[in-house]
Amino acid sequence: MSKGTIRNLLRRDKRADRVVPPTGFTAQLTLFVSGAMAFLAVFALALSLASGRLADRWASELAGAATLRINAPADQRAAQTEAALNVLQQTPGVASARALTTEEQADLLSPWFGPDLPLDALPIPQLIEIIEGEPGLDAAGLRLRLSAEVPGAVLDDHTRWREPLVDAAMSLRRLGWVSILLIGGATAAMITLAANASLAANAQIIEVLRQVGARDRFIAGAFVRRFTFRALFGAAVGTLLGMSGVLLLPEASDAGGFLTGLGFQGIGWVLPVLIPVLGAAVAFLATWSAAQRKLKELS
Amino acid sequence: MGAGVIELDNISYNYGGGELLSDVSLQLQPGSFHFLTGPSGAGKTTLLKLCYGALLPTSGRLLAFDDDIAGMDRDQMALLRRRIGVVHQDCRFLDHMTLAENVALPLMVSGRGENGTQENLTELLGWVGLGNRLEAHPPELSGGERQRAALARAVILSPDVVLADEPTGNVDWEMSQRLLHLLIELNRMGKTVLIATHDLSLIRAAKSQVQARVLRIAQRQVQLAGADL
């Protein structure tokens, strides 16, 4: 189908559009389906974009840092910490390294043990935060050196945490896109059903139009325009409602975690605008193909 | 064969397992006037449908304006139907559209619905006596008004041929005479007219006004009717 054909099919002609009766259950069905599907598509899109952002954030935040844990008896802990910091200072790929203070360690544990944790009375290992720099940390080499010089040191380069988290976020993103594809497919199926019902209900009108010399393109165009513009309107309303729902979600915060970040950011706000356009395109193709089949069947 | 606007050459048509028309040959010359008569169920409507391509013959060759209908695609068929105006007994209007819109339908579908349409439409509806009913909807019209509107729709594209299937079937004598007069006027304008009817009084009334050829379908064949009508 050429661009010219598509333009001609979509060019509004009030008189030509009158040949298809304006009422019927297919009108309500098309409006409802495209509205509901657009509403769901907004949330699927928001989920997908938020998952993508989360995966990127987790990947970059955890990839740029490592943690060194000093598991040593209390009387050796300070000495081993000092030795470990010395080793780290001489290690290529370490931008900075510092031992966490007692208060910082207490803050890390307070979500699990409460705020009044008697840290001094517990055998808590000393944590050292490592920020990676160029040319990147050689974790295996550092482990070898630490095992020789600081026997109580355990290096955690976050790989064990990062990979499953990033995988989970990427899976969520894929799930969002699969949902959008399914929504598109379901919309196409429902509009095809509605168009078929409308074409069958108007078989006598099609016969009259053919009788007076109408080409199939004219007849199909009247149905295609009707369904395309209905789907566009329904999807626009559904998208607006969906975006309002997303706007009403709480702001992203550390306390809320992932769920409060389920929204659009920056250029992401423009993407939902494409949903009504895609909905109309799906309706156009579904109706055009249904009309071609039905008109062939009726000839 | 040749020179006929519509030519049927040994046409047969089977319907419901039986042969309804058998080896029918017929030629409609430009500007000629024909009646097609015969008992109900003889195949008058079928023959008309064959003439405008709504049905395809089971065997034989059917030419319209020198083109074989069997070889036409759907677009070509649409163009052919713009040259053949058809008046159905049941009129076949779109009830949700006004009379003016229904009559102008052939103009709209052929993309000729702009320049001077309204004037031509008013003039045409005036010709069939419906100039004051432009905005009426088909269900509001009487039988005679519907038939005249159907005739107006059939001729709005100025077709070469007008086919009428029992055009006076649902109207009184006075109205049938009025419709006949309109069809005769069209013939005088050079249109080929074929009227399928079982109303012999209509044929007798026409004979004094126009040189008409009367065809009768009997025993699956089309024959020239004798002087006994």
Side-chain angles (χ1 to χ4, degrees):
Chain A
M1 202 186 303
S2 70
K3 272 186 189 172
T5 308
I6 294 172
R7 210 171 26 246
N8 284 337
L9 280 171
L10 289 177
R11 186 174 292 146
R12 292 213 97 159
D13 180 342
K14 279 186 182 172
R15 290 188 314 153
D17 290 347
R18 289 255 304 135
V19 299
V20 183
T23 54
F25 82 96
T26 55
Q28 283 83 30
L29 181 65
T30 309
L31 278 173
F32 175 74
V33 166
S34 28
M37 293 299 181
F39 186 85
L40 294 175
V42 170
F43 283 98
L45 184 63
L47 171 76
S48 186
L49 293 177
S51 309
R53 284 197 303 272
L54 198 67
D56 292 344
R57 201 173 74 214
W58 282 342
S60 60
E61 282 180 3
L62 294 175
T67 305
L68 190 64
R69 196 169 69 239
I70 310 292
N71 293 325
D75 57 331
Q76 295 173 26
R77 199 178 299 152
Q80 287 204 22
T81 302
E82 189 61 36
L85 286 170
N86 282 336
V87 169
L88 290 170
Q89 272 176 358
Q90 297 157 16
T91 304
V94 173
S96 67
R98 69 175 187 92
L100 296 193
T101 63
T102 309
E103 289 75 25
E104 284 174 325
Q105 296 209 161
D107 283 347
L108 287 174
L109 292 170
S110 62
W112 284 272
F113 295 104
D116 303 321
L117 187 65
L119 212 59
D120 295 339
L122 292 171
I124 303 294
Q126 173 64 52
L127 298 179
I128 296 175
E129 181 190 48
I130 301 167
I131 304 297
E132 290 183 27
E134 293 299 326
L137 187 63
D138 173 12
L142 181 59
R143 275 196 190 96
L144 273 175
R145 197 173 163 197
L146 286 169
S147 65
E149 297 183 30
V150 189
V154 177
L155 178 67
D156 178 1
D157 62 358
H158 299 165
T159 307
R160 160 167 86 94
W161 300 103
R162 190 174 66 212
E163 285 179 354
L165 283 174
V166 172
D167 282 352
M170 294 305 282
S171 296
L172 265 178
R173 177 153 76 171
R174 277 194 294 273
L175 200 64
W177 286 113
V178 169
S179 303
I180 289 170
L181 286 178
L182 286 175
I183 287 167
T187 307
M190 291 299 288
I191 289 180
T192 301
L193 277 176
N196 275 330
S198 178
L199 285 156
N202 291 302
Q204 280 188 326
I205 289 174
I206 292 171
E207 196 187 333
V208 171
L209 290 172
R210 279 189 160 154
Q211 181 56 66
V212 298
R215 292 183 188 206
D216 283 1
R217 185 173 295 184
F218 175 92
I219 301 170
F223 285 91
V224 165
R225 278 191 297 279
R226 180 66 56 88
F227 279 87
T228 302
F229 286 111
R230 259 183 212 156
L232 180 68
F233 179 72
V237 172
T239 302
L240 277 176
L241 291 174
M243 288 178 76
S244 308
V246 169
L247 268 175
L248 292 175
L249 286 173
E251 287 290 320
S253 71
D254 289 340
F258 169 70
L259 284 175
T260 56
L262 188 67
F264 299 105
Q265 285 178 8
I267 194 81
W269 282 105
V270 179
L271 288 177
V273 175
L274 295 176
I275 291 174
V277 179
L278 288 173
V282 166
F284 176 91
L285 291 173
T287 315
W288 173 254
S289 114
Q292 291 300 315
R293 269 198 314 274
K294 197 73 184 177
L295 289 172
K296 196 173 176 186
E297 191 184 308
L298 289 173
S299 61
Chain B
M1 292 189 86
V5 284
I6 292 177
E7 298 173 43
L8 287 72
D9 184 8
N10 286 317
I11 291 291
S12 295
Y13 184 77
N14 294 352
Y15 179 76
E19 199 172 47
L20 189 60
L21 296 171
S22 175
D23 290 330
V24 172
S25 291
L26 174 67
Q27 196 176 66
L28 302 185
Q29 297 291 342
S32 57
F33 197 108
H34 303 260
F35 281 105
L36 180 64
T37 187
S40 292
K44 297 190 292 293
T45 300
T46 300
L47 189 68
L48 252 60
K49 283 184 173 178
L50 286 165
C51 287
Y52 64 83
L55 294 175
L56 289 176
T58 312
S59 66
R61 201 162 67 115
L62 204 159
L63 300 178
F65 308 103
D66 295 327
D67 288 324
D68 193 336
I69 280 189
M72 289 184 180
D73 61 23
R74 283 182 282 167
D75 269 356
Q76 288 170 319
M77 198 64 89
L79 295 179
L80 169 69
R81 285 174 184 162
R82 293 176 194 175
R83 298 183 70 183
I84 303 175
V86 183
V87 183
H88 296 276
Q89 187 176 6
D90 58 359
C91 300
R92 298 189 186 175
F93 289 121
L94 306 187
D95 287 348
H96 63 283
M97 294 171 79
T98 64
L99 174 63
E101 287 172 326
N102 267 289
V103 172
L105 205 54
L107 288 174
M108 190 202 297
V109 302
S110 60
R112 291 188 237 167
E114 296 304 326
N115 297 336
T117 303
Q118 194 57 39
E119 283 172 28
N120 294 342
L121 193 61
T122 310
E123 193 182 333
L124 181 62
L125 284 170
W127 176 67
V128 294
L130 294 172
N132 57 345
R133 304 288 274 151
L134 293 176
E135 295 306 313
H137 284 77
E140 300 163 13
L141 302 175
S142 68
E145 286 174 326
R146 288 168 66 85
Q147 287 294 352
R148 282 181 281 150
L151 181 60
R153 185 181 64 185
V155 301
I156 196 162
L157 286 179
S158 190
D160 300 296
V161 181
V162 178
L163 306 176
D165 188 7
E166 301 283 5
T168 59
N170 295 323
V171 297
D172 58 25
W173 170 253
E174 195 182 331
M175 185 54 67
S176 70
Q177 291 307 298
R178 196 165 169 188
L179 281 163
L180 176 65
H181 180 71
L182 291 171
L183 286 161
I184 290 171
E185 251 190 83
L186 284 169
N187 179 245
R188 285 180 184 147
M189 291 175 199
K191 314 292 180 199
T192 304
V193 177
L194 173 60
I195 303 171
T197 181
H198 63 270
D199 183 356
L200 297 184
S201 61
L202 185 77
I203 299 172
R204 286 188 203 108
K207 274 190 159 180
S208 60
Q209 303 173 59
V210 67
Q211 193 176 358
R213 198 167 156 223
V214 183
L215 307 164
R216 178 189 285 157
I217 298 185
Q219 294 169 338
R220 307 191 302 276
Q221 300 275 340
V222 174
Q223 302 152 352
L224 201 57
D228 54 325
L229 282 170

